[in-house]
Amino acid sequence: DSGVTQTPKHLITATGQRVTLRCSPRSGDLSVYWYQQSLDQGLQFLIHYYNGEERAKGNILERFSAQQFPDLHSELNLSSLELGDSALYFCASSVDSPTYNEQFFGPGTRLTVL
Amino acid sequence: QQQVKQSPQSLIVQKGGISIINCAYENTAFDYFPWYQQFPGKGPALLIAIRPDVSEKKEGRFTISFNKSAKQFSLHIMDSQPGDSATYFCAADNYGQNFVFGPGTRLSVLP
């Protein structure tokens, strides 16, 4: 158990809908990262938040947005969903110190868009 | 320049054999090179990591070899076991500013 929690575990929805994925980082970790992993694909970096501020953006679609709240939990919002958005979505957290960079991954949310 | 290349895409090894996965990077600012292991349906988990001031790091059956001049690093799994069958991702980081994953290698260890 990495200490990172993600809810829900599974999500099934229809095209055009909007969903919110939630992530709670490990206690003490200020950074949250979001990744998308499609079937048999690698980890596509979406976005990184550090202590409530957006730090880096990867290949995140305009239909997707994220935020990190004062209690450090983060939410990833996916809107106008398309079939191709079906994937595993992982969040990871880290202490984000210059000398210690390990990312701890949550169990993921499996999104199925029908 | 931010990309990390990884090979092979898939690897089949007999039980007891050595599994070798290679990665290459371009950005000389990277200062941290971890390997993650992912089992189906699970999140990736850190396996072993190295910083560029050492050329090799060993933890049990897992060894990272690092060649700074060639900008390459590799993971060696000695005495590979069926339980090692998973997808392995190399990664590189720049002082916590820019975490980049390789595309992954699917390892199958045959009993």
Side-chain angles (χ1 to χ4, degrees):
Chain A
D1 183 359
S2 66
V4 178
T5 60
Q6 288 187 249
T7 56
K9 241 182 183 175
H10 302 278
L11 199 48
I12 301 174
T13 188
T15 54
Q17 295 298 304
R18 173 190 168 93
V19 297
T20 297
L21 313 184
R22 183 188 168 106
C23 170
S24 292
R26 292 187 325 151
S27 176
D29 285 357
L30 299 180
S31 270
V32 170
Y33 303 78
W34 285 99
Y35 294 89
Q36 180 192 56
Q37 187 175 42
S38 301
L39 189 65
D40 290 337
Q41 296 294 311
L43 291 155
Q44 298 296 319
F45 167 65
L46 296 178
I47 198 163
H48 169 204
Y49 273 84
Y50 176 78
N51 202 20
E53 300 289 326
E54 181 185 305
R55 178 170 270 188
K57 238 176 184 175
N59 300 319
I60 188 166
L61 300 172
E62 284 192 14
R63 300 183 287 109
F64 296 0
S65 65
Q67 52 184 327
Q68 186 179 26
F69 296 86
D71 66 352
L72 300 178
H73 91 271
S74 178
E75 293 180 356
L76 179 67
N77 300 295
L78 315 176
S79 61
S80 303
L81 285 167
E82 302 175 358
L83 295 177
D85 298 327
S86 295
L88 263 172
Y89 291 84
F90 290 105
C91 84
S93 74
S94 74
V95 170
D96 204 27
S97 125
T99 56
Y100 185 64
N101 317 68
E102 180 180 356
Q103 291 190 18
F104 294 85
F105 281 77
T109 292
R110 183 174 294 280
L111 173 66
T112 302
V113 182
L114 301 176
Chain B
Q1 196 182 18
Q2 301 302 337
Q3 198 177 20
V4 173
K5 296 179 181 178
Q6 184 173 346
S7 63
Q9 197 171 19
S10 63
L11 182 60
I12 299 175
V13 173
Q14 290 289 134
K15 178 182 174 182
I18 302 173
S19 304
I20 302 174
I21 305 171
N22 301 298
C23 285
Y25 63 97
E26 290 294 324
N27 187 351
T28 56
F30 286 137
D31 75 321
Y32 175 69
F33 301 90
W35 284 88
Y36 280 78
Q37 179 189 54
Q38 184 182 28
F39 293 104
K42 303 291 185 183
L46 180 69
L47 189 63
I48 187 173
I50 198 168
R51 292 197 181 271
D53 52 346
V54 297
S55 60
E56 185 175 284
K57 182 174 182 180
K58 185 175 181 178
E59 289 183 3
R61 296 185 293 110
F62 301 91
T63 300
I64 298 180
S65 297
F66 186 82
N67 186 330
K68 190 173 181 178
S69 60
K71 291 184 282 188
Q72 295 174 347
F73 58 110
S74 59
L75 175 70
H76 294 234
I77 306 174
M78 311 300 289
D79 188 26
S80 298
Q81 299 296 312
D84 298 330
S85 297
T87 299
Y88 293 81
F89 295 94
C90 63
D93 188 26
N94 172 17
Y95 294 95
Q97 301 298 313
N98 202 343
F99 206 102
V100 180
F101 279 92
T105 295
R106 178 173 286 183
L107 171 65
S108 297
V109 182
L110 302 179

